[in-house]
Amino acid sequence: MRVFAKTAYLLTTAALMSFGAVHMTSANEELMKMAENPKDWVMQTGDYANTRFSKLNQITKDNVKNLQVKWSFSTGVLRGHEGGPLIIGDVMYVHAPFPNTVYALDLNNDGKILWKYEPKQDPNVIGIMCCDTVNRGVAYGDGKIILNQADTTVVALDAKTGKIVWSVKNGEQTDGGKGESGTSAPVVVKDKVLVGVSGAEFGVRGWLAAYNLADGKLAWKAYSEGPDADTLIDPEKTTHLGKPVGKDSGTNTWEGEQWKTGGGTTWGWYSYDPKLNLVYYGTGNPSTWNPVQRPGDNRWSMTIMARDADTGVAKWLYQMTPHDEWDFDGINEMILVDGMEVGGAKRDVLVHFDRNGFAYTMDRANGELLVAKKYDPAVNWATEVNMDPSSDQYGRPQVVAKYSTQANGEDTNTTGICPAALGTKDQQPAAYSPKTGLFYVPTNHVCMDYEPYKVSYTAGQPYVGATVSMYPPPGADHMGNFIAWDAAKGEIVWSKPEKFSVWSGALATDGDVVFYGTLEGYIKAVDHDGNELYKFKTPSGIIGNITAYEHGGKQYIAVLSGVGGWAGIGLAGGLLSPDNAAAWHGAVDQGRAQGDETAVVGTAGLGAVGGYAALADYTTLGGQLTVFGLPD
């Protein structure tokens, strides 16, 4: 039975839904109640709204300068460490990049290892992870720790023993043969585990899957592209900017059957509104990076999706970057805020800082577009997002022809595009403080040259089709900013420059302190005006997310350091070596020559190696959890 047909059946079977609602509600209420306890950190993003706000306030703007290292823990892995630990009662759960080791540490006993889980995975998976072997963390629900492994296996572990409760294969293959990989953090919603997939650079067609928390059986699966039965879109009821999307909207803006290798992968963060019962997430870039090869809007890549948590059926969609020409994935987190005053009216909103350089504020019930403004002044590929509902351009970015890689064509190097492919912000999540009403956003201040070229699709082989180089904006001496953003007005309140991109997740606290990390390895604390209050250099660059918890009556701040990810792939993947960079191009570029040695190194790692080469002068590989606290 097809998933869509099964969904429709469940929707019309009152008895089944009535029985399921009881179980789902109880499971959901347990996790929401746990998330309300500020002593613990039970979700990667802190709560279902993805606010990354801690109500703990022992550490304040006045005493944060006294923070000191309390203890540390090595993960034993020298690749990029994204995400962060979970803290549930007296136990901390720490994850690592490939091979995706998970540790349970006893906080009552000097971090003693209670159990360790290290999956055995096909090493071929390493070669198909485009931007480092990262993993964004584990999830918790119903006494289980949920891990999304690099090989797309989703595993539920007993939280007390580490033993496998159930295991399912999210992708079609676990040997990398289809180019599918798992990097995203799962999220538990009601009685389901939501998991996405990575691999758009290999022509993977993205999806979000929901597995039963109890036994791992597939409940529903919603593809980013394809016919309505695959995308779980109701052509009459699912809307885009207030209008029904119509029949097979996931295929009719693609040429032929290109949607089958269309990208739109789902490796970012997922949020949930219990009142509306909607799950929100974004889809990534269309495949290939060469826009000339895939005419049309390429729906529903680059899209914010709002789906029913029980059935997966889409309520509304909004495509931010139709026919993406720059690799501006739309996977960044959706932050949910109640009662924001926008245009003189209070609205329950969704706020999204997109890779394309625009920050969007939307009514999360119906997908109405309220605000769409640039959150880095360097953004130049589009002048604005059209906000006139009567215009045929409504909701579309107004592309500047000079920076259109489609208009300039294949084998033409379009220069000076801002932001670069890694966006004004990549997956590193922002934080929201209800005390200030502001968002604190780690950003990239980077531009690029982009030259598309023709490629062919082969399953499990790179399907990129563009040469990219990255660098700071003209006249800039830095590659990142940490900013405060007013989402109601669409304005930067203040901006704090950083030498390199700010690639860590931020944390706001009730102690009037905001934390973030830098690629050189500093954890930093600032006040609500952006004034730096504290910094400490950890052993490696920070691309992990700052976490707060309380144990034994004392507040702590924890962070994973371990340089890597896309920005740090030169270090993590050894691509600063000309030989390694040449080998990378040989595997990715389908025989296209990349020029001299300088060009080969500079354009490796999808353009990041040259842009962040100087990072090697400030940090090196590592894999460590560092925990900070106030003096005893």
Side-chain angles (χ1 to χ4, degrees):
M1 184 183 292
R2 302 182 79 174
V3 175
F4 187 77
K6 184 178 180 181
T7 297
Y9 177 75
L10 288 174
L11 282 170
T12 58
T13 308
L16 286 177
M17 285 301 294
S18 176
F19 172 79
V22 175
H23 175 70
M24 287 185 288
T25 300
S26 61
N28 201 48
E29 286 178 350
E30 177 204 19
L31 197 54
M32 285 194 293
K33 185 176 180 180
M34 292 175 68
E36 290 173 359
N37 175 13
K39 297 179 180 180
D40 291 348
W41 193 267
V42 299
M43 303 180 193
Q44 286 294 323
T45 56
D47 52 32
Y48 279 133
N50 285 7
T51 61
R52 296 195 55 79
F53 177 80
S54 171
K55 295 178 182 177
L56 298 179
N57 55 21
Q58 283 185 15
I59 298 171
T60 70
K61 63 180 181 179
D62 297 318
N63 64 21
V64 68
K65 63 182 181 293
N66 299 321
L67 281 184
Q68 54 188 221
V69 175
K70 291 299 184 179
W71 60 281
S72 60
F73 177 80
S74 173
T75 66
V77 182
L78 299 180
R79 294 299 290 251
H81 285 59
E82 293 183 346
L86 297 185
I87 298 91
I88 301 170
D90 296 324
V91 181
M92 175 183 286
Y93 299 93
V94 179
H95 73 285
F98 188 94
N100 305 135
T101 317
V102 180
Y103 299 91
L105 307 180
D106 186 353
L107 297 178
N108 286 331
N109 193 7
D110 295 328
K112 177 185 177 182
I113 299 173
L114 296 171
W115 55 257
K116 172 185 175 182
Y117 172 74
E118 185 172 4
K120 304 301 180 185
Q121 302 182 66
D122 192 319
N124 288 326
V125 172
I126 296 173
I128 57 93
M129 300 183 78
C130 87
C131 311
D132 201 9
T133 60
V134 297
N135 183 284
R136 297 183 184 90
V138 295
Y140 172 84
D142 191 29
K144 303 176 184 70
I145 296 295
I146 316 296
L147 169 67
N148 180 21
Q149 295 177 186
D151 66 358
T152 76
T153 302
V154 182
V155 180
L157 306 171
D158 185 289
K160 293 182 179 179
T161 66
K163 295 185 181 302
I164 297 175
V165 179
W166 54 257
S167 175
V168 298
K169 189 171 66 172
N170 189 33
E172 291 185 33
Q173 296 179 203
T174 57
D175 62 357
K178 289 276 190 178
E180 304 155 321
S181 60
T183 61
S184 62
V187 66
V188 173
V189 172
K190 291 191 165 182
D191 66 337
K192 296 178 177 63
V193 178
L194 304 184
V195 187
V197 68
S198 303
E201 280 62 54
F202 291 79
V204 171
R205 178 170 61 128
W207 67 80
L208 185 70
Y211 298 96
N212 292 333
L213 179 60
D215 57 15
K217 291 182 180 179
L218 182 67
W220 53 260
K221 188 174 186 179
Y223 283 90
S224 302
E225 303 94 2
D228 294 337
D230 287 0
T231 58
L232 305 190
I233 287 174
D234 185 319
E236 300 302 323
K237 295 181 179 179
T238 303
T239 61
H240 180 264
L241 295 176
K243 297 180 179 179
V245 297
K247 181 177 173 56
D248 288 332
S249 58
T251 62
N252 59 25
T253 66
W254 292 86
E255 187 174 79
E257 294 189 334
Q258 286 187 337
W259 56 268
K260 291 183 175 180
T261 55
T265 47
T266 50
W267 50 274
W269 306 95
Y270 321 121
S271 55
Y272 172 61
D273 183 335
K275 289 182 291 185
L276 296 173
N277 197 37
L278 293 178
V279 173
Y280 305 91
Y281 67 100
T283 63
N285 62 285
S287 301
T288 140
W289 284 24
N290 179 358
V292 179
Q293 286 187 242
R294 45 169 174 79
D297 278 357
N298 309 135
R299 292 181 169 177
W300 294 100
S301 66
M302 317 301 285
T303 297
I304 296 174
M305 295 196 165
R307 294 187 178 274
D308 183 279
D310 298 331
T311 66
V313 174
K315 181 173 183 181
W316 60 262
L317 314 166
Y318 170 55
Q319 189 178 41
M320 296 164 290
T321 313
H323 187 62
D324 170 51
E325 307 170 37
W326 311 271
D327 183 47
F328 291 154
D329 292 50
I331 59 84
N332 293 348
E333 74 284 355
M334 314 296 161
I335 303 174
L336 312 183
V337 178
D338 293 342
M340 179 182 290
E341 188 168 320
V342 184
K346 288 189 178 297
R347 310 289 286 264
D348 291 346
V349 301
L350 168 158
V351 176
H352 170 75
F353 299 92
D354 197 63
R355 285 252 294 262
N356 70 13
F358 287 86
Y360 299 86
T361 304
M362 307 185 73
D363 185 303
R364 65 177 187 262
N366 58 24
E368 180 184 351
L369 184 61
L370 305 174
V371 179
K373 293 290 187 179
K374 298 177 183 180
Y375 62 104
D376 184 339
V379 174
N380 64 11
W381 68 276
T383 56
E384 63 180 357
V385 173
N386 188 298
M387 300 296 288
D388 181 2
S390 65
S391 170
D392 63 358
Q393 293 292 299
Y394 178 46
R396 297 180 73 96
Q398 302 302 290
V399 177
V400 176
K402 177 182 178 180
Y403 302 117
S404 170
T405 68
Q406 166 77 42
N408 295 335
E410 288 181 344
D411 303 316
T412 298
N413 190 28
T414 300
T415 62
I417 305 167
C418 306
L422 42 68
T424 299
K425 189 179 85 62
D426 202 275
Q427 61 77 35
Q428 62 270 36
Y432 169 75
S433 171
K435 297 187 73 172
T436 64
L438 298 178
F439 295 78
Y440 301 95
V441 191
T443 74
N444 312 312
H445 191 54
V446 186
C447 301
M448 68 175 172
D449 299 342
Y450 191 112
E451 183 175 351
Y453 57 88
K454 189 173 183 178
V455 287
S456 58
Y457 172 77
T458 302
Q461 299 299 312
Y463 189 48
V464 180
T467 299
V468 177
S469 58
M470 302 183 190
Y471 44 81
D477 60 356
H478 63 287
M479 299 178 71
N481 295 298
F482 188 70
I483 71 169
W485 178 259
D486 185 330
K489 298 178 180 178
E491 294 178 354
I492 296 173
V493 178
W494 52 257
S495 180
K496 184 178 184 296
E498 290 289 349
K499 185 175 184 63
F500 298 103
S501 294
V502 186
W503 208 270
S504 84
L507 173 76
T509 76
D510 191 48
D512 300 328
V513 183
V514 180
F515 293 91
Y516 67 96
T518 75
L519 276 172
E520 309 101 294
Y522 285 105
I523 182 172
K524 294 189 175 184
V526 298
D527 64 19
H528 288 156
D529 295 318
N531 300 306
E532 191 170 295
L533 305 173
Y534 173 81
K535 70 176 182 178
F536 179 90
K537 193 168 188 182
T538 65
S540 185
I542 298 176
I543 63 170
N545 304 333
I546 318 296
T547 303
Y549 71 97
E550 182 180 313
H551 184 257
K554 296 180 180 180
Q555 180 183 349
Y556 297 95
I557 301 294
V559 65
L560 285 169
S561 59
V563 71
W566 192 356
I569 192 63
L571 279 168
L575 299 183
L576 291 167
S577 158
D579 290 343
N580 290 347
W584 183 91
H585 281 292
V588 172
D589 295 342
Q590 298 190 10
R592 181 181 177 87
Q594 296 296 342
D596 61 18
E597 184 176 283
T598 300
V600 166
V601 173
T603 57
L606 301 175
V609 175
Y612 294 87
L615 188 57
D617 296 332
Y618 294 87
T619 192
T620 189
L621 299 178
Q624 178 173 302
L625 174 82
T626 307
V627 178
F628 300 84
L630 295 172
D632 294 333

